[in-house]
Amino acid sequence: MPRFSIIVPSHGVAGRLGQALDSVLAQSFGDFELIPVCDAAGSPAAGVAAGHAERDSRVAPVHAPPSEGLAGARNAGVRAATGTYLLFLDGDDVLMPGALAALDARLAETGPVDVLPCEHERVPWWEGEPTRPAAPLLEHAPGGAFAPARAPRLTGVGLPAWSAAWRRAFVAEHELAFPPGWFTDVGWCGRALLRAERVAVSRRALVRHRARRQGDRLRLPGAHHHDLLDQTERVLDEAAGLGLPAERSGPLFEQLFAAVLKTAAHPRRLPSGRREFFRRASALYRGHRPAGFRPPGGSLGVQHRLLAAGSYEAFAALRDTRRAAGRAAGALPRPRGLRTRLHYGLQLRRPLDPDLAVYCAYWGRGYACNPAAIHAKARELAPHIRGVFLVEADQAHTVPDGVEYAVLGSHRAWELLARATYLVNNANFAEGVVKRPGSVHLQTQHGTPLKTMGVDQSTYPVVAAATGSFTKLLGRVDRWDFNLSSNPHSTRVWERAFPGSYEHLEYGYPRNDVYVTAGADDVARIRAELGVPEGARAVLYAPTHRDHHTGFEPGLDLEAFCEAAGEDVVVLLRAHYFYDRGGRGRSGRVIDVTAHRSSEDVCLAADALVTDYSSIMFDYANLDRPIVVYADDWEVYRETRGVCLDLMAAPPGRVARTPGELARVFRDGSYADDGAAALRAAFRERFCPFDDGRAAERVVRRVLLGEPPEALPPVIPLAERVPAPAAATLVRS
């Protein structure tokens, strides 16, 4: 009886099979039998095997039909084997020199074991350094022979069958066989390690795995990826039947679903049937999750939770975020081209202009938000400071008359950025912008944070992918001198999300000043401009961006809502600013105001707000008008995007979960009743403490004029403010 039986399937690798067989025959340890498994007599591989058999009697080819696949070929080899230990070698890999001698020596040290996992060496098909992929699986295993319970993370999952020695009597006793289909190693190795009673490991590489240029066949696109679920189910069923204790079932479950999640998140592997794959995986997950199992941390843990919840739509977003992030990054202005870089470098040598301020909002989307409000107030209080707005070329026409602007990316824009003393932005200037000594950078932000921001996003894979490098993000934060905050909640979140040495300015948002300073005539004028019919109840519908969606999806049948909510209801639809490239006009009782440059105008025109998780709710609350939260996917949003406050526990008004509930609160008036008003009052107390109509003045005096904090206008108490009046008569708090 030979010491080792080495089984070599050969389908489709006839060109490299000779090298594999030669690597075995060249071993210094010679007590083995070599069993090439060929398709049929007369096939190319059979010819190679026959030639080796003629030269060496230890070579004993057998045959297996191609229809039985890799599993059938290996099982045929196992049936023909007579050695004490079974080894498997793919026909395009090779045994490492001295591997059999080292394996025999290791077995002499440990005594008989059921399974002996070994390290292997993975070599790229191009020039590159080899790696040891199995090392993390084996590094914490005991030094001698041991029971599997002593190394619960050594589950066999992720271990190739050819990276271990298997005692043939153990295989026969438990009637182990490679299960049919793809990913057969998962079924074989997982089930074998469940049955093994005595195991040892070898940290000497046994096989040199030569990666294919066309990639691992298991990673190529096709329906065969559904077989991974078959193999996973086989292993989980066997573990359940054996009553595996929690300390072993937990690692097994986690490792199996790490492989499942990797496939589910890879768009190219499943050209079709992705939803079906996810649904079945979700059912397996829920059906076999061990009691007390805790998902891993980080992005993988988020994927676990989405799989457990069956949230396919959210999970599917992982396919698109990196591509979207690449497009977004490419749109940011930065000094490109030698001439631009040289020009910017020369401008940086010139002195700062003490009376120049550069403003930008939403990455150049126009004259808007806090930077626009500060710019307008600066023209009044600090007329000696020249203010220039940076905009994208296709937004230049939206800049109001009398406002100086420059096109982002132009030589003039880079000159202004190099020489401005004051730089004001509600997002971030391009990464190439240099923070010069003496310059003052004011970050105004553009909303109160409900969702996670900055470095807090790192554990949420969808948004982390879109955010890009957190190191670069923090480099931009280091340019800030001041960071504007609209409430204490925001101050706490910014400090955690954007750690830096800047000064917090709890002054309120300048863009929200208009909610106190506007009058009835302003409201009437704006409604007429937007086309709101006289006597109509204008409901602003402003859903936020979904990181797991690739385009704008209203999430609600707005025409149906109007019909169900009341005959006097019209909807002002304002999509997230990511989708502000032109409006879609008017359709029935729905008026698309997405392209309108001022969200503040739109809020003034609205008698009530319906939103999901958009920060517009915090701004609109300053008007003390009804707000309804439409939270049809709160759980999914919370898991995929992450949130920094529980909106459901302290909403600004009524909460609706379905379209029917949403229409009903408007139809019966409960959206504006005393209960809704009480919720809104508590919300305003928490999130509207500084927005008193004088935020822009405080910012200009402190940042542009350098006045001390004690000289600034004090904040008017919430109870003393008079918000701009609504057009419709509503029940107010």
Side-chain angles (χ1 to χ4, degrees):
M1 179 186 298
R3 180 69 157 164
F4 302 111
S5 293
I6 305 167
I7 300 164
V8 188
S10 62
H11 179 71
V13 293
R16 303 177 75 173
L17 177 61
Q19 295 174 333
L21 300 180
D22 288 342
S23 72
V24 178
L25 296 175
Q27 293 288 313
S28 57
F29 182 88
D31 186 13
F32 62 81
E33 60 179 4
L34 178 56
I35 308 174
V37 185
C38 308
D39 294 344
S43 66
V48 174
H52 282 74
E54 290 175 1
R55 297 194 300 273
D56 195 309
S57 61
R58 294 172 297 181
V59 180
V62 298
H63 301 284
S67 60
E68 293 183 5
L70 177 63
R74 286 176 173 168
N75 289 333
V78 170
R79 289 192 295 270
T82 61
T84 304
Y85 286 92
L86 303 173
L87 300 177
F88 300 98
L89 180 68
D90 282 357
D92 51 357
D93 292 338
V94 296
L95 278 187
M96 298 283 286
L100 294 184
L103 187 58
D104 177 70
R106 179 60 175 154
L107 288 168
E109 293 173 0
T110 64
V113 292
D114 298 326
V115 186
L116 184 84
C118 306
E119 289 193 4
H120 63 273
E121 190 176 85
R122 188 182 189 277
V123 182
W125 70 267
W126 69 97
E127 292 184 4
E129 292 296 321
T131 58
R132 296 282 184 95
L137 299 174
L138 309 181
E139 61 183 352
H140 298 300
F146 56 92
R150 292 183 58 198
R153 299 201 64 80
L154 187 61
T155 66
V157 177
L159 180 72
W162 42 257
S163 193
W166 313 85
R167 189 166 62 88
R168 187 170 63 88
F170 160 75
V171 170
E173 176 186 355
H174 294 284
E175 300 180 339
L176 296 177
F178 285 90
W182 297 69
F183 302 94
T184 187
D185 283 8
V186 174
W188 167 275
C189 297
R191 294 179 62 238
L193 267 295
L194 286 173
R195 296 285 184 176
E197 297 178 0
R198 183 176 164 85
V199 179
V201 303
S202 171
R203 294 179 176 83
R204 170 77 180 263
L206 177 66
V207 171
R208 177 173 290 134
H209 172 58
R210 300 187 293 183
R212 298 157 56 93
R213 181 185 180 191
Q214 59 271 45
D216 186 336
R217 284 169 287 192
L218 294 180
R219 299 178 184 177
L220 296 178
H224 61 274
H225 287 280
H226 290 269
D227 286 4
L228 175 59
L229 299 180
D230 295 336
Q231 307 295 0
T232 298
E233 187 170 13
R234 286 188 178 99
V235 176
L236 290 173
D237 284 344
E238 184 135 352
L242 293 172
L244 204 65
E247 58 267 26
R248 292 189 63 192
S249 61
L252 176 65
F253 181 86
E254 180 179 335
Q255 291 176 24
L256 283 168
F257 278 96
V260 170
L261 287 167
K262 190 172 184 178
T263 296
H266 203 297
R268 296 179 182 175
R269 294 186 186 179
L270 287 166
S272 61
R274 289 190 288 266
R275 187 182 295 271
E276 290 75 16
F277 182 95
F278 186 88
R279 285 175 176 171
R280 186 183 168 199
S282 180
L284 279 175
Y285 190 101
R286 293 192 297 268
H288 288 275
R289 178 169 46 191
F293 174 76
R294 296 175 62 88
S299 62
L300 185 57
V302 174
Q303 296 178 55
H304 271 262
R305 291 192 288 273
L306 291 175
L307 188 63
S311 302
Y312 173 77
E313 297 297 336
F315 190 91
L318 298 175
R319 302 194 303 265
D320 307 306
T321 50
R322 289 191 181 278
R323 190 179 307 168
R327 287 196 299 266
L332 292 175
R334 52 186 64 167
R336 294 180 181 174
L338 180 60
R339 291 180 60 187
T340 303
R341 288 196 295 271
L342 289 174
H343 178 72
Y344 182 57
L346 289 173
Q347 297 303 316
L348 288 172
R349 297 183 181 182
R350 298 176 63 189
L352 290 173
D353 184 338
D355 296 328
L356 176 61
V358 171
Y359 300 84
C360 190
Y362 299 119
W363 304 276
R365 286 182 171 89
Y367 187 79
C369 194
N370 293 317
I374 296 169
H375 173 271
K377 184 58 69 172
R379 296 176 75 179
E380 174 189 334
L381 299 180
H384 64 284
I385 294 180
R386 173 191 172 204
V388 185
F389 234 88
L390 301 185
V391 296
E392 292 178 342
D394 61 353
Q395 295 297 308
H397 68 283
T398 68
V399 179
D401 293 339
V403 174
E404 185 180 355
Y405 70 89
V407 174
L408 276 167
S410 67
H411 278 204
R412 180 164 175 263
W414 283 106
E415 179 179 341
L416 292 165
L417 288 167
R419 301 207 55 215
T421 294
Y422 306 102
L423 295 98
V424 182
N425 206 324
N426 73 350
N428 262 308
F429 287 103
E431 198 168 302
V433 172
V434 174
K435 165 66 172 168
R436 297 186 64 180
S439 65
V440 177
H441 286 241
L442 168 63
Q443 168 59 254
T444 74
Q445 303 294 346
H446 53 270
T448 292
L450 167 61
K451 57 194 175 188
T452 55
M453 305 293 292
V455 296
D456 286 349
Q457 300 171 351
S458 61
T459 57
Y460 295 89
V462 176
V463 288
T467 300
S469 168
F470 288 100
T471 300
K472 292 180 179 179
L473 170 65
L474 293 177
R476 296 189 290 270
V477 170
D478 287 341
R479 297 190 303 222
W480 302 355
D481 295 288
F482 299 103
N483 182 48
L484 199 56
S485 177
S486 58
N487 47 61
H489 160 78
S490 295
T491 304
R492 292 191 296 271
V493 173
W494 300 146
E495 185 173 349
R496 183 180 68 246
F498 302 115
S501 58
Y502 52 82
E503 179 183 341
H504 290 285
L505 301 181
E506 290 187 319
Y507 292 171
Y509 277 165
R511 71 182 185 191
N512 292 345
D513 286 352
V514 70
Y515 297 143
V516 178
T517 61
D521 290 344
D522 298 304
V523 173
R525 173 184 52 80
I526 295 167
R527 284 169 70 93
E529 290 175 357
L530 297 178
V532 178
E534 264 192 64
R537 278 189 296 169
V539 177
L540 172 58
Y541 177 55
T544 192
H545 168 64
R546 297 295 196 279
D547 297 273
H548 53 277
H549 292 170
T550 56
F552 175 63
E553 300 178 19
L556 188 65
D557 186 333
L558 297 178
E559 288 288 354
F561 165 74
C562 289
E563 291 295 329
E567 60 183 16
D568 63 333
V569 170
V570 297
V571 167
L572 303 177
L573 169 62
R574 188 168 182 85
H576 191 274
Y577 59 79
F578 283 0
Y579 314 109
D580 64 358
R581 301 305 186 186
R584 288 161 284 280
R586 179 166 183 164
S587 174
R589 291 156 66 183
V590 178
I591 305 171
D592 192 324
V593 295
T594 301
H596 191 79
R597 71 173 184 84
S598 171
S599 62
E600 294 76 48
D601 281 0
V602 173
C603 287
L604 285 168
D607 299 305
L609 169 68
V610 173
T611 186
D612 40 25
Y613 325 115
S614 170
S615 65
I616 199 171
M617 73 177 75
F618 301 95
D619 305 308
Y620 192 82
N622 286 286
L623 289 168
D624 197 14
R625 302 178 190 175
I627 302 172
V628 178
V629 176
Y630 180 54
D632 63 326
D633 64 345
W634 169 250
E635 288 74 18
V636 171
Y637 186 85
R638 183 176 56 191
E639 291 292 339
T640 56
R641 187 57 171 87
V643 295
C644 50
L645 63 90
D646 187 354
L647 183 63
M648 298 301 104
R654 299 298 182 191
V655 176
R657 291 282 192 162
T658 67
E661 290 179 7
L662 181 62
R664 185 167 59 251
V665 299
F666 279 88
R667 190 170 57 249
D668 64 17
S670 58
Y671 77 105
D673 64 10
D674 290 344
L679 291 170
R680 186 168 70 252
F683 191 84
R684 281 164 48 81
E685 190 73 28
R686 182 179 180 187
F687 296 110
C688 303
F690 309 135
D691 288 327
D692 63 349
R694 304 190 70 178
E697 180 181 351
R698 282 189 285 270
V699 171
V700 170
R701 292 191 182 280
R702 177 75 174 91
V703 177
L704 300 185
L705 298 178
E707 295 183 8
E710 58 271 17
L712 303 181
V715 174
I716 299 172
L718 190 64
E720 298 177 17
R721 300 174 203 165
V722 181
T729 301
L730 300 170
V731 177
R732 299 171 63 84
S733 59

